[in-house]
Structure formats: C-alpha cells, structure tokens
Amino acid sequence: MTRDIVELKAQDMSELYEHQLTALAALELGKDQEDLGGSFQGSVKEWQAAGTQQILGLCFQQNGEPVGMVLFKRPPLSPEWTPRSAVSLHGLKIAQARQGAGLGRRAFALCVAHLKIAWPDAKSLILAVDAGNGPALAVYRGFGMSDSGPVFQGRIGLEHRLEVPLQE
C-alpha cells in the first residue's frame, strides 16, 4: 500500500526488497536524535526480529529512495502504558541529510492515513516524546495530539505521552 503527500510516499516495510531494507538501515541520524529514537539500523532489525502482526513498519521514500521510517506496535509489543485499543508509535525518523524540509510533518500525516487503513479497529495513536524535542512536539500537536497524562521521567529525561483518536 502506498500513499502520496507532496512527493513523499509511505510503503509498508514488508513490501520492500532486501536491497531497499539495506538502504533504509544505512540512513544516518545525528547522535542526539539517535540517542532519543534509536538508529535506522536498530529499528529495521527490531522490525525484522518481531515477525508478528503486532508490529508495522513504514518506509518513507522520495523519488524511490528511502528517507525515513517509523514503527507502530500493538499490545503486547507496545509499552505497558498503551491501552489495548491503541497503537503506539516508535522512532519516527527522517535521515539527517533530508531534515529541515517539512518531511517529518508529511511523514506523520502519512502515518495516520496508513494506520486507519492497516489497523481500522485501532481507536487511537499514542506515543512518548522527549519534552525537549520542540520540533517533534510541534508536529504531533499540529495533528491534534494532546497529553494523555502528566509529563513523566522517561529513559533519558522528561517525556510527554501524546494521543490522538484514529476513529471519528
């Protein structure tokens, strides 16, 4: 399944060829971003190891080349604080060389559209984001995500848990 939004496409990672997965895993992030959301290589390996219907990986492409990715998880793979009716988002990343062009915002729009089709029974999308990650918070809040609880101490520092309904 492929969806277009201003020359950015999202493709289910299960539809990628091995050379495409290799190219995706080779994308790079800045050290600070990698510390927060993991590396491309780590996320691709996590998706490959899961081998279940409870995880969905999307590859974002421009002109046929991978520029980013995201993972979605359903219980029991999602964090313990994820409601059973929700999907959790993990590591939305855009390659460092492609950042600053609004691709994160477009990628998130593709995520929401894809989830509504891939997992139509999911009632909401939930995620944790570093409290100091202003650009990510702006993207998520711009799509109507709101805090689903108080700011909490996460793995690296303070984090927000944000949620948005997927069903009307």
Side-chain angles (χ1 to χ4, degrees):
M1 172 187 313
T2 302
R3 299 243 179 255
D4 289 306
I5 292 182
V6 191
E7 72 188 49
L8 187 69
K9 294 183 179 189
Q11 185 171 9
D12 191 310
M13 287 172 48
S14 67
E15 299 171 357
L16 297 178
Y17 295 106
E18 190 62 37
H19 75 276
Q20 292 172 304
L21 284 171
T22 300
L24 180 61
L27 294 176
E28 295 181 357
L29 290 171
K31 175 77 171 116
D32 57 333
Q33 290 175 314
E34 198 169 290
D35 287 345
L36 293 172
S39 68
F40 278 97
Q41 182 178 27
S43 292
V44 169
K45 284 183 179 181
E46 179 182 1
W47 173 80
Q48 289 172 320
T52 173
Q53 296 298 317
Q54 304 311 108
I55 192 168
L56 170 67
L58 291 182
C59 171
F60 303 111
Q61 301 171 338
Q62 273 191 318
N63 301 321
E65 297 294 322
V67 297
M69 70 173 293
V70 68
L71 297 179
F72 299 101
K73 299 177 185 177
R74 299 186 90 162
L77 295 182
S78 53
E80 74 283 346
W81 47 264
T82 305
R84 294 210 57 81
S85 61
V87 172
S88 57
L89 179 145
H90 301 268
L92 173 61
K93 352 177 162 346
I94 301 296
Q96 186 172 15
R98 300 291 183 98
Q99 292 178 9
L103 295 181
R105 188 171 312 281
R106 288 182 259 163
F108 190 73
L110 288 168
C111 290
V112 172
H114 192 90
L115 277 176
K116 287 180 178 183
I117 294 167
W119 288 338
D121 61 323
K123 292 188 179 2
S124 63
L125 174 62
I126 193 165
L127 58 87
V129 62
D130 184 74
N133 190 343
L137 283 166
V139 167
Y140 300 141
R141 287 189 171 137
F143 277 89
M145 294 196 91
S146 58
D147 282 280
S148 60
V151 175
F152 68 100
Q153 182 62 42
R155 182 176 53 89
I156 295 177
L158 294 177
E159 293 183 355
H160 290 270
R161 287 185 185 152
L162 302 177
E163 186 170 12
V164 68
L166 292 173
Q167 298 179 355
E168 304 300 317

